[in-house]
Amino acid sequence: MCEGVNLIMTQCTHPVFVNGIFNSEKLRSLLAPDAKILVVMDDHVSGLYGAAVKKAFDTFVVDWHVFILPSGEGDKSRESKQKIEDLMFEKQFDKRSCSLALGGGVVTDLVGFVGATYMRGMDVIYMPTSLMGMVDASIGGKTAINTKHGKNTLGVIRQPKAIIIDLKFLITLSDHAYFWAFSEVLKHHVIADAQGLQYLLDHKDQLLAKQFNAIKKMVKKSINIKLSVIENDIEDQGQRALLNIGHTLGHALERVSDFSISHGQAVAWGLLYESRYAYSCGCLSERDLHVIQHVIETLGLVIQHDYSQLAILKAMRWDKKCSVGSVRMPLIRCIGQMLDREFIWHTVDMDLMAKVLSS
Ligand SMILES: NC(=O)c1ccc[n+]([C@@H]2O[C@H](COP(=O)([O-])OP(=O)(O)OC[C@H]3O[C@@H](n4cnc5c(N)ncnc54)[C@H](O)[C@@H]3O)[C@@H](O)[C@H]2O)c1
């Protein structure tokens, strides 16, 4: 008889919320005082929080270093990954060392990937500072960098050691970055929580005014939805694909705009047009289409752009989800219901998509 193998199931890292991150016991408890620490920030976040980081780390870490990269999607790159790795080699970081990503989704995606491959894996702590980072990028363990072949084309799935969220970072976040992260919140609610959509509409003013009570509820809800989708599919073999709704068109638009359209803007637009497409091919009800359109319009998550539909259709073929000769995407079929794997994937009818995009 064969002996079984004990499989240890990987758990998804759940975030903890703190008030005052640099003084938090949570952060201290995670850092061994004698381990080397690398803090990675972009230059914008460093300008705002660099002094606080220095003050905190000087008091409780012996050997810490900082790496600052230019802010923006362009530096989520192979070059940045290599620079961070070279710094860690130079400073003799080993497997006990830890890297800390303090920033938005660009920084957490990049640092997560570096940490996954350095010495075959080192501890990484995420301290997301943008709303996109808090509700989406830091959750679930997807790490990535962009290449000339497309967005997020290199990466792995690996859970960080911890995710620490301090909502106070949102005070300094630009209105643009804050506002457009709502597209990912909206996506989570479309997937799993029809009533949550109403919460967004009912609390629109408080949310847009960054009132913390309202934000905290929304952020927690959004994270819980993402975790509930991922928890049974950490390696992205099934239901997790649902989290890509809005992203097939969204990534194509980001690409043709050469990333001048932000991820959040592109996803909002992608959600709208993927919903219209799903309705046109008879998969989404008229009622659900109207609800999605209504929430997008009421929240103001609408963008205008002049990129040609031909360029967007072409860019869709670069998507990671494509299989040979055809474009596949997860389809929005109904609001608030998790679907089984066999109902999620759809091979795109490119002629119909062209019609939808030109409508
Ligand atoms: N891994 C995932 O599952 C996942 C999910 C969603 C998005 N993402 C990735 O996340 C990225 C987008 O994330 P993002 O919108 O946070 O972008 P970002 O990291 O570029 O941050 C946006 C801007 O906000 C600034 N910023 C961040 N926090 C700030 C703060 N507290 N105060 C002032 N300025 C601040 C940054 O310097 C930057 O200029 C994309 O690369 C996307 O692919 C990953």
Side-chain angles (χ1 to χ4, degrees):
M1 201 173 84
C2 272
E3 287 226 357
V5 178
N6 285 329
L7 287 178
I8 300 167
M9 298 301 288
T10 328
Q11 290 295 315
C12 215
T13 307
H14 287 222
V16 288
F17 286 76
V18 297
N19 191 359
I21 206 159
F22 300 118
N23 296 320
S24 77
E25 271 312 308
K26 183 69 198 167
L27 182 59
R28 275 172 194 258
S29 69
L30 287 165
L31 303 176
D34 57 340
K36 291 174 191 286
I37 312 287
L38 180 70
V39 182
V40 181
M41 297 175 270
D42 72 22
D43 52 5
H44 188 195
V45 169
S46 160
L48 291 164
Y49 298 102
V53 168
K54 180 167 170 26
K55 194 169 161 210
F57 280 71
D58 277 349
T59 59
F60 59 85
V61 184
V62 177
D63 192 0
W64 74 279
H65 303 268
V66 65
F67 182 91
I68 297 167
L69 65 146
S71 93
E73 192 69 39
D75 280 83
K76 198 173 113 177
S77 63
R78 283 173 166 165
E79 292 73 22
S80 300
K81 182 171 186 282
Q82 190 175 340
K83 282 182 193 160
I84 296 171
E85 289 158 350
D86 286 346
L87 177 65
M88 292 198 293
F89 285 126
E90 188 193 311
K91 303 293 179 192
Q92 299 181 321
F93 273 54
D94 57 27
K95 274 191 81 69
R96 284 193 63 244
S97 309
C98 176
S99 59
L100 242 131
L102 180 71
V106 164
V107 171
T108 50
D109 272 13
L110 169 67
V111 176
F113 190 28
V114 172
T117 57
Y118 188 82
M119 301 278 171
R120 297 205 186 108
M122 66 187 288
D123 281 343
V124 176
I125 297 172
Y126 290 165
M127 302 195 297
T129 58
S130 67
L131 183 58
M132 177 73 79
M134 293 173 190
V135 296
D136 202 3
S138 67
I139 310 295
K142 277 195 179 175
T143 72
I145 54 175
N146 306 324
T147 67
K148 66 176 184 182
H149 303 288
K151 199 176 146 65
N152 298 335
T153 36
L154 288 176
V156 296
I157 297 176
R158 187 167 185 270
Q159 299 299 321
K161 179 178 180 179
I163 305 162
I164 315 175
I165 295 182
D166 185 349
L167 295 175
K168 280 210 214 102
F169 281 121
L170 299 179
I171 294 169
T172 55
L173 187 66
S174 71
D175 290 345
H176 179 93
Y178 177 74
F179 177 71
W180 286 103
F182 278 78
S183 50
E184 298 286 8
V185 175
L186 174 62
K187 175 196 78 179
H188 289 154
H189 286 81
V190 167
I191 292 171
D193 185 13
Q195 285 167 358
L197 288 174
Q198 195 55 46
Y199 179 84
L200 297 180
L201 296 180
D202 293 345
H203 295 81
K204 178 183 160 216
D205 293 342
Q206 293 99 309
L207 289 167
L208 295 183
K210 293 191 183 171
Q211 283 183 14
F212 278 104
N213 286 344
I215 300 177
K216 191 164 187 176
K217 202 164 170 194
M218 176 189 77
V219 169
K220 284 192 164 175
K221 182 79 199 158
S222 196
I223 290 172
N224 283 338
I225 294 173
K226 183 162 184 184
L227 287 171
S228 68
V229 174
I230 293 173
E231 213 83 71
N232 293 320
D233 183 24
I234 290 185
E235 295 303 322
D236 202 9
Q237 301 297 314
Q239 208 174 47
R240 191 168 178 163
L242 273 175
L243 294 166
N244 282 309
I245 59 170
H247 283 63
T248 306
L249 279 178
H251 281 162
L253 180 60
E254 270 184 284
R255 190 180 166 90
V256 297
S257 79
D258 203 15
F259 299 103
S260 63
I261 289 180
S262 71
H263 183 71
Q265 287 177 305
V267 169
W269 179 83
L271 272 174
L272 182 62
Y273 279 88
E274 286 184 22
S275 303
R276 287 179 180 170
Y277 172 87
Y279 168 71
S280 298
C281 62
C283 295
L284 183 72
S285 70
E286 190 172 5
R287 185 190 162 277
D288 278 1
L289 173 65
H290 282 154
V291 171
I292 294 170
Q293 291 189 153
H294 175 66
V295 180
I296 287 176
E297 279 159 21
T298 310
L299 291 177
L301 293 167
V302 181
I303 60 160
Q304 308 294 340
H305 67 80
D306 294 330
Y307 296 102
S308 80
Q309 50 143 292
L310 201 65
I312 293 168
L313 292 172
K314 224 168 132 188
M316 284 175 77
R317 296 194 180 276
W318 284 92
D319 196 276
K320 292 191 295 304
K321 299 178 287 299
C322 285
S323 55
V324 185
S326 62
V327 176
R328 289 190 325 141
M329 69 178 195
L331 201 61
I332 304 170
R333 290 178 193 264
C334 52
I335 295 176
Q337 270 181 34
M338 307 259 204
L339 296 168
D340 291 334
R341 180 182 167 77
E342 61 266 33
F343 295 115
I344 296 173
W345 287 107
H346 170 85
T347 301
V348 180
D349 173 339
M350 297 303 268
D351 292 334
L352 180 60
M353 184 61 91
K355 272 194 206 136
V356 170
L357 290 181
S358 59
S359 64

